[in-house]
Amino acid sequence: LALRSLSWIWALHFFVPAALTDPDGAPPWTVDLLLGLDRQLTQIEHNLSQYFSPNTHLSGEALGIFVGAQALPELASSPRRARLGRRILLAEAARQVNADGGHAELSAHYHRYSTDFYLLAALVARLTGDEAAPALEESARSQALFLRAIADDTGRLPQIGDDDGGQLFPVCGRPSSDCRDTLCRAAVILNDAALAIGEPTEETFWFCGEPAAGRVAGVAAHSVALAASGYYVSRTAAGDHLIFDAGRHGYLNGGHAHSDALSIVLTTAGRPFLVDAGTGTYTMDAATRDRFRSTALHNTVVLDGRGQAAPRGPFHWSSRADATCLVWQSDAAADYVEGIHDGYLPKAHGRAVFALHGMGWLVLDHILGPGATSTTADAFWHVHPDWTQVPSETGVLLQHLDGSRRSIVSTGDMRALNAPEVDGLDSYSPAYGQVVRALCLRVRVCAGLPYTIATFIAGVASAAVPRLEPEQVTTPPGPGWHAAAFRLSWRGHEAIAVAAIENPAVDVTGRAPGVMWGCESASTDARAAFIPLNGPGDVKPVLIGGTRVRAERGAEAPRYVRREAPRRT
């Protein structure tokens, strides 16, 4: 009813000026429309979603009441409704919006929805001189900044969490995954060109009129930690964009959450590459609903065939998995993020990602636990339908519709799943109610705990497939630590990657071992390090939580000393 009321108010303001020029006076439909609006707003007042769906349902109802009251001061109840709508909007801005600007549902789609709500509320408050205008603008700004961070440089939203396709004002039939219209409106309303992506959209003119003219693309976004919501964003000027999910399971009962702890989504050079499978449906088919929310349909790890969290009905969970970020480090050369979650206790899955700008992404999956229990880990990688697999002697080589290529290699057994084994794991929902097939890669390892699976995703278009091999840790970091080392060879370059993590995972702090440890070719005092052995002289080691590294190449033993990179939030 609130959204219908907003549509009716738009219609009223479009057509009433023409009606006023009618020599016979205002037509009776204007009176009927005002009466209908008054009854709808009364119904909303008496049935607010305070107890059932107290999320965007409630803030959307408050928006309808507030805008209705401000736009129709002729109605006797408008002053009361303005106070009610204002109070709820401000209260929900504090309750539903995290400190980093992210919506508490932890759904990219619902976040965009909420951003649209508060942009309209702020604009109406400003135009009517309402006392809440500064606070509403501040909430809209924080949400818009968050939206710009999680959208890639083409304005495409990731499908993290539920996506039901709803939009506040679908004026131009834009796909729900395209948020350029919201960001462009935000740039105009909040006077911040850095929020915009591309030229002004048609929707921006509908909302903002002439002030939208002349708006151009804003400055490039940067890597950022959205710690309150649990998202860590790595991006480059070349259009690479990775989101790492290391936050809590969801909001309230987790109604719009998925079982996706430590999952990643990845865009390379503006092309969606590793994707969240989407939503599919809410209530039309229970099996489809649960499949699209499952761990296996996200780019993360399943242990012993069991998902991280178990659903109970379409909007509830009988168990949940909360993740924690252990380390975030960002500089011009690379980003590093590491997290762990509690969905498999007493076993644990920890994941570290080296985002090596201009080179690619190295993902280290630590499978931890007490004793030496044999455990099967399946790491799933869901590829956007625009990519298909092409023949390759090693690893997996993928080709985009435009002919560009990317490769993935792993130290585990990686292969594309095919029927009947795929069993729905190749499902992808580009929009609510649509399901298509897409390539699903699985890396499987069965071994005694602890162990680490390394996966490298090339960030450069090339037909050459890298080699990724385990190295023996000859000098361990000490008791209570699990350590792993790997050698990456690609296009004439070699590098060693090492990583250490506390095991068993009962008190994981993110600190470094504090002693030199490593393999025969390289050692460090860091928690993790990426150490080039050859290649361009300006390529330096990436050290996480340490300052020293030694690398050996035959008779040579170059020594690097690197200060710990600054953290940026």
Side-chain angles (χ1 to χ4, degrees), residues 398-440:
L398 302 167
Q399 182 167 298
H400 192 266
L401 291 174
D402 65 10
S404 61
R405 293 187 171 189
R406 295 288 188 275
S407 55
I408 308 180
V409 293
S410 179
T411 56
D413 175 24
M414 171 178 277
R415 62 191 186 87
L417 295 182
N418 296 300
E421 187 181 27
V422 68
D423 192 26
L425 293 174
D426 61 347
S427 299
Y428 174 64
S429 177
Y432 187 81
Q434 300 177 23
V435 177
V436 300
R437 295 185 62 186
L439 179 66
C440 175

Side-chain angles (χ1 to χ4, degrees), residues 2 48-49 52-62 96 110 117 256:
L48 289 167
S49 297
F52 182 82
S53 297
N55 50 12
T56 51
H57 287 238
L58 180 58
S59 53
E61 290 161 359
Q96 293 189 40
Y110 278 80
F117 288 174
H256 293 299

Side-chain angles (χ1 to χ4, degrees), residues 144-235:
L145 288 168
F146 185 98
L147 185 65
R148 181 64 185 93
I150 64 172
D152 68 21
D153 289 339
T154 67
R156 185 183 296 105
L157 276 179
Q159 292 182 295
I160 297 171
D162 273 347
D163 172 4
D164 63 10
Q167 298 179 58
L168 179 58
F169 281 121
V171 178
C172 301
R174 185 181 302 276
S176 61
S177 60
D178 184 352
C179 67
R180 288 175 298 167
D181 58 325
T182 296
L183 289 170
C184 202
R185 289 200 304 273
V188 176
I189 294 170
L190 304 173
N191 193 30
D192 185 352
L195 293 170
I197 296 178
E199 296 298 321
T201 62
E202 181 179 337
E203 295 93 335
T204 310
F205 287 93
W206 283 102
F207 264 78
C208 306
E210 286 306 311
R215 286 287 178 181
V216 295
V219 298
H222 54 74
S223 300
V224 63
L226 303 167
S229 298
Y231 299 136
Y232 297 82
V233 182
S234 172
R235 67 198 317 153

Side-chain angles (χ1 to χ4, degrees), residues 440-496:
C440 175
L441 305 174
R442 185 191 66 193
V443 177
R444 171 166 288 179
V445 173
C446 184
L449 299 177
Y451 61 87
T452 298
I453 306 169
T455 302
F456 180 71
I457 305 155
V460 179
S462 173
V465 178
R467 289 176 55 196
L468 184 62
E469 301 170 313
E471 290 276 308
Q472 183 180 358
V473 175
T474 53
T475 305
W481 289 88
H482 163 64
F486 305 92
R487 181 182 294 265
L488 176 66
S489 307
W490 188 37
R491 305 174 75 193
H493 305 315
E494 282 193 308
I496 297 292

Side-chain angles (χ1 to χ4, degrees), residues 16-366:
V16 161
L20 294 177
T21 63
D22 191 324
D24 296 326
W29 66 262
T30 56
V31 176
D32 293 339
L33 189 61
L34 285 169
L35 287 172
L37 278 165
D38 189 58
R39 291 180 181 180
Q40 289 185 161
L41 295 173
T42 299
Q43 180 74 5
I44 298 166
E45 281 187 274
H46 294 169
N47 295 276
L48 289 167
S49 297
Q50 300 279 10
Y51 307 104
F52 182 82
S53 297
N55 50 12
T56 51
H57 287 238
L58 180 58
S59 53
E61 290 161 359
L63 177 70
I65 293 172
F66 179 73
V67 173
Q70 299 294 83
L72 303 172
E74 301 87 354
L75 299 179
S77 298
S78 286
R80 181 188 73 249
R81 289 173 183 153
R83 291 191 297 271
L84 177 62
R86 180 190 307 115
R87 177 178 61 79
I88 295 174
L89 283 169
L90 294 177
E92 295 309 306
R95 191 174 72 94
Q96 293 189 40
V97 181
N98 297 327
D100 54 19
H103 191 267
E105 287 282 8
L106 302 180
S107 155
H109 177 83
Y110 278 80
H111 174 83
R112 185 263 189 90
Y113 216 19
S114 180
T115 306
D116 281 340
F117 288 174
Y118 280 87
L119 283 171
L120 179 59
L123 184 58
V124 169
R126 180 193 299 168
L127 293 173
T128 57
D130 190 84
E131 64 189 56
L136 292 172
E137 288 181 18
E138 183 58 32
S139 182
R141 185 181 305 279
S142 68
Q143 293 181 69
L145 288 168
F146 185 98
L147 185 65
R148 181 64 185 93
I150 64 172
D152 68 21
D153 289 339
T154 67
R156 185 183 296 105
L157 276 179
Q159 292 182 295
I160 297 171
D162 273 347
D163 172 4
D164 63 10
Q167 298 179 58
L168 179 58
F169 281 121
V171 178
C172 301
R174 185 181 302 276
S176 61
S177 60
D178 184 352
C179 67
R180 288 175 298 167
D181 58 325
T182 296
L183 289 170
C184 202
R185 289 200 304 273
V188 176
I189 294 170
L190 304 173
N191 193 30
D192 185 352
L195 293 170
I197 296 178
E199 296 298 321
T201 62
E202 181 179 337
E203 295 93 335
T204 310
F205 287 93
W206 283 102
F207 264 78
C208 306
E210 286 306 311
R215 286 287 178 181
V216 295
V219 298
H222 54 74
S223 300
V224 63
L226 303 167
S229 298
Y231 299 136
Y232 297 82
V233 182
S234 172
R235 67 198 317 153
T236 70
D240 301 322
H241 182 250
L242 178 142
I243 301 180
F244 181 80
D245 184 347
R248 64 189 183 277
H249 180 71
Y251 180 57
L252 300 178
N253 62 340
H256 293 299
H258 289 194
S259 181
D260 57 359
L262 305 188
S263 65
I264 66 173
V265 291
L266 174 63
T267 293
T268 66
R271 304 172 184 87
F273 186 65
L274 297 177
V275 293
D276 187 301
T279 300
T281 186
Y282 279 167
T283 58
M284 290 182 289
D285 184 279
T288 299
R289 173 63 168 156
D290 288 346
R291 184 169 75 252
F292 275 94
R293 291 188 294 170
S294 70
T295 305
L297 254 72
H298 296 83
N299 299 310
T300 187
V301 172
V302 172
L303 294 188
D304 294 325
R306 179 173 67 87
Q308 304 162 349
R312 178 173 57 86
F315 299 107
H316 292 78
W317 298 83
S318 58
S319 67
R320 55 191 293 148
D322 292 319
T324 301
C325 180
L326 302 172
V327 183
W328 162 255
Q329 182 172 303
S330 178
D331 63 22
D335 298 322
Y336 176 87
V337 62
E338 181 183 340
I340 195 165
H341 72 84
D342 60 5
Y344 294 123
L345 293 177
K347 299 177 183 180
H349 169 218
R351 169 171 278 187
V353 179
F354 282 96
L356 306 162
H357 301 333
M359 180 181 294
W361 300 267
L362 180 64
V363 181
L364 304 176
D365 286 307
H366 303 297

